Amino acid sequence: MGALKTLGIGALVVLIGAMIYLWGHSDGRNGKPPGLAEVSHAAPKEWSPTKASPTHEVYYPGTEDLKPDEMRVIACGSGMPMPRLKQAAACFLIELGNGDKFIFDMGTGSMQRLYALGIPLDYLDKVFLTHLHADHMGDLSAFYIYGPQNNRSVPLRVWGPGGGGTRPEWGTKAAMDSMLDMWAWMTGTLVGTIDTRSMSLEVTEYDWSKINGVIYEDNGVVIRSIPAVHFEQSASFILEWNGLKLAFSGDTLPNKWWIEHTQGVDLSIHESIFMPDTAVTKWKFSGQEALNAMTTIHANPAFFGKVMAMTRPKHAVAYHFQNDFDTLPATIRTVEQVYDGPVDYARDFMVWNVTKDGVRTRIAVPNPESYPLPPLQEKQISTGGDRYQTPDWVLDGFPDEVDAVAKKIYSDFNEEHGTDYEFRLKK
Ligand SMILES: [Zn+2]
Ligand SMILES: [Zn+2]
């Protein structure tokens, strides 16, 4: 009897132990939401086949409220400096429960991803650049100039590294001035035909060499930068809001500032470039090129794992590699040799909901047929301005026969809408 009782207690202890183990391992790693006990395995009683599905394991942008104390992060670019349908280059959108949205880096290809989320551009007016490599800012130029045509009605604000070092003239302000010069022709053609209030760029250069210096503070949000070991004028960001902390590496080798200032952060997004062998076999790098890039400019998976093991974030994200069926296993194996915490290997549209209770990872389902959303202000077309005109002699090439067609378009439109617009080709 006594032996049976001991056996029973022993079994109970094992069972409780197993439950605690499972509980501890259900969070994070597999992207399961915290609070497993609340998950029901039966459909709610009121649900029927004619009602919207009560649960889905993906994120449909624009269909979920963000709670006041919640942060949502979406990978709008998780890849490499190589154009690729599957993965754009570095770009992460951070949405906060207070209504603020921040874009950390805007690498090539990321603009389409941002547009596919269905967010009015007026809310996407704060872009922070870690450095000026094209895989971190290549889409900024198009994002800026597309503003008026896609209903942005406020200036675009850009924070980027600047000043100091051996090439202070290569900072963000100089790059943005050159960008505006590049768009002089297009800017001239838009004036007078469309609401161009968004044709304004507010550039703030932050001191990339400061260690944990504040580069942004507003509405309860503080963003700091630390130097990145990745050429002069490169930095990493740390965002704090509402007791939540997010770190974003941009590109960097492991470094003491990251290790000191990102200890235990809620979400740690750090580069983890591909393995040297992948660089040789897939990118056709020479052995020396591969080793240089993977160990002296970027963090490879072994470096990433080591950094995560030294900083123990609540949730880690590895990005900046081609995340494919044949590259991922070796990456995971390498990271897991040194790091056993929760980690996601980013791909585009991966989304993280971050609260004090933990991190939930899903994949967002973007809208491939998106249209511009309305501006937050009433449209204004300022007449005059420095409009770049089509010369009269070129306009004279417009055939008289088509003139009648144009007039018909106007009369039809006016009749339909009760307006009195007039077709005039020459000013
Ligand atoms: Zn870089
Ligand atoms: Zn990069």
Side-chain angles (χ1 to χ4, degrees), residues 106 111 121 124 139-147 152 156:
M106 199 180 270
M111 183 175 67
L121 288 191
L124 300 177
D139 263 15
L140 179 63
S141 175
F143 188 73
Y144 164 74
I145 199 68
Y146 268 161
R152 187 172 65 231
L156 185 62

Side-chain angles (χ1 to χ4, degrees), residues 131 133 135-136 230 251 298:
H131 64 297
H133 272 150
D135 61 320
H136 294 257
H230 182 76
D251 288 350
H298 289 284

Side-chain angles (χ1 to χ4, degrees), residues 45-68:
K45 285 198 174 59
E46 66 275 17
W47 185 68
S48 79
T50 58
K51 299 269 192 238
S53 173
T55 60
H56 37 249
E57 290 302 316
V58 295
Y59 168 58
Y60 295 107
T63 64
E64 288 179 18
D65 293 348
L66 193 59
K67 295 191 189 79

Side-chain angles (χ1 to χ4, degrees), residues 81 105 130-136 230-231 234 250-252 271 297-298 320:
D105 283 346
T130 58
H131 64 297
L132 302 185
H133 272 150
D135 61 320
H136 294 257
H230 182 76
F231 303 101
S234 297
D251 288 350
T252 189
E271 75 152 313
I297 296 169
H298 289 284
H320 212 303

Side-chain angles (χ1 to χ4, degrees), residues 12 15 21 42 47 64 66 84 89 91 108 133 220 228 244 253 267 277 292 305 355-356 386 402:
L12 195 66
L15 187 68
Y21 175 86
W47 185 68
E64 288 179 18
L66 193 59
R84 186 177 222 218
C91 179
T108 37
H133 272 150
L244 298 173
L253 285 170
L267 195 66
D277 273 358
N292 278 346
T355 65
K356 283 174 186 144
D386 193 11
V402 187

Side-chain angles (χ1 to χ4, degrees), residues 259-279:
I259 287 159
E260 181 183 347
H261 294 287
T262 74
Q263 289 289 330
V265 297
D266 295 276
L267 195 66
S268 183
I269 306 170
H270 195 288
E271 75 152 313
S272 172
I273 207 164
F274 44 50
M275 311 283 283
D277 273 358
T278 310

Side-chain angles (χ1 to χ4, degrees), residues 24 27-29 242-247 262-269 308 311-317 339-344 352 354-361:
D27 283 357
R29 179 172 294 231
N242 191 42
L244 298 173
K245 203 166 176 180
L246 172 146
T262 74
Q263 289 289 330
V265 297
D266 295 276
L267 195 66
S268 183
I269 306 170
M308 291 306 127
T311 52
R312 305 303 304 184
K314 293 200 181 119
H315 202 96
V317 176
Y339 176 59
D340 62 357
V343 55
D344 290 318
W352 298 268
V354 185
T355 65
K356 283 174 186 144
D357 295 329
V359 175
R360 181 186 191 190
T361 308

